[in-house]
Amino acid sequence: MLADEHSTSLFKKAHGLTFWEMADKNDSFNQSINNAMVSDSNFLMDIILRECGDVFLGINSLIDVAGGHGGAASAIAKAFPQMKCTVLDLPHVVEEAPTDDHVSFISGDMFKYIPPADALFLKWVFHDWGDEDCVKILKKCKEAIPPREAGGKVIIVDMVVGSGPNEIVTRETQVFFDLFIMFLEGIEREEFEWKNIFMQAGFSEYKIISMLGVRSVIELYP
């Protein structure tokens, strides 16, 4: 596949394939990505569960969308053993996932279908995609969850530019990530940009919980 001369993806310009196409075709690259995501979850989920674990209260079933090898889902399931936790990811990811007594895995494409659950969890997903694709994912999310009065919500862990401590290291890190995510043609969003895609997808309300410097937890309601 030849790199698209109109693409701004630095990864595709360098390799002739998108980041996701490379993961599908190269086993060692795919494994490296999944290992990195598990390491990130091992670090982050302890903090999320300690600082804002209330976002998971009352949820009976949760799907970790694009959850890789289940690092985040496993941590949530252990903290809330009554919750049924499932990971949805692409076939080449799921087939290499380790066995986990607390988490089940489903092979699928979040752009096409997300199985129903009380809540959906998406960590470091939306910044990988442009607005149009994010709206598509969010519409599939909205179809998968019950109404708000029945407990339905989407829990997002991602960057909200301008949120968090007003410190130089936070601002520098946000700028760094804004440049870094260009390799995927991704976007780091300010609150008004998040609100725009939420409203386009048909959601009614959201709440941002700033934590861990550059990352936030967003509760999104239908």
Side-chain angles (χ1 to χ4, degrees):
M1 181 184 297
L2 296 175
D4 182 356
E5 63 179 346
H6 301 295
S7 173
T8 59
S9 167
L10 303 182
F11 190 94
K12 187 171 182 178
K13 286 183 182 299
H15 300 284
L17 297 169
T18 68
F19 183 84
W20 312 113
E21 289 167 344
M22 180 71 80
D24 188 21
K25 295 179 181 299
N26 187 307
D27 289 341
S28 61
F29 185 70
N30 178 51
Q31 190 62 46
S32 295
I33 295 168
N34 293 320
N35 289 343
M37 292 300 98
V38 169
S39 295
D40 180 73
S41 292
N42 290 341
F43 165 71
L44 184 66
M45 291 309 299
D46 179 63
I47 299 170
I48 290 178
L49 291 166
R50 185 176 66 247
E51 299 293 332
C52 50
D54 288 355
V55 299
F56 299 104
L57 291 176
I59 298 173
N60 293 315
S61 60
L62 177 142
I63 292 180
D64 185 356
V65 180
H69 283 181
S74 181
I76 295 168
K78 289 174 183 175
F80 298 91
Q82 80 288 351
M83 190 188 305
K84 178 184 178 183
C85 290
T86 305
V87 171
L88 172 74
D89 216 314
L90 294 169
H92 68 270
V93 177
V94 170
E95 68 184 12
E96 300 292 336
T99 301
D100 190 318
D101 294 335
H102 305 285
V103 176
S104 57
F105 290 83
I106 297 176
S107 175
D109 184 342
M110 64 184 174
F111 285 100
K112 296 179 180 178
Y113 175 71
I114 298 174
D118 292 342
L120 306 179
F121 182 76
L122 298 97
K123 177 177 74 72
W124 266 164
V125 173
F126 289 107
H127 77 158
D128 293 337
W129 304 95
D131 288 357
E132 184 177 341
D133 284 329
C134 284
V135 171
K136 290 178 182 177
I137 297 168
L138 285 165
K139 285 182 176 179
K140 294 301 178 185
C141 289
K142 190 168 184 290
E143 292 172 1
I145 58 175
R148 180 175 183 177
E149 55 269 23
K153 66 178 175 179
V154 179
I155 302 167
I156 299 167
V157 178
D158 225 311
M159 183 186 295
V160 179
V161 177
S163 183
N166 186 25
E167 300 172 355
I168 185 64
V169 66
T170 302
R171 296 195 298 272
E172 287 178 344
T173 305
Q174 289 176 342
V175 170
F176 166 75
F177 269 101
D178 211 22
L179 294 172
F180 171 73
I181 205 64
M182 287 174 61
F183 87 102
L184 283 175
E185 294 187 278
I187 301 173
E188 302 294 359
R189 296 175 171 87
E190 296 183 50
E191 182 177 351
F192 79 91
E193 294 171 300
W194 282 108
K195 182 178 180 179
N196 181 49
I197 62 173
F198 293 160
M199 298 304 112
Q200 283 188 55
F203 286 84
S204 63
E205 191 176 347
Y206 65 92
K207 176 184 177 182
I208 297 174
I209 306 169
S210 297
M211 55 160 292
L212 200 64
V214 299
R215 285 198 262 194
S216 296
V217 174
I218 306 172
E219 291 181 276
L220 179 61
Y221 302 99

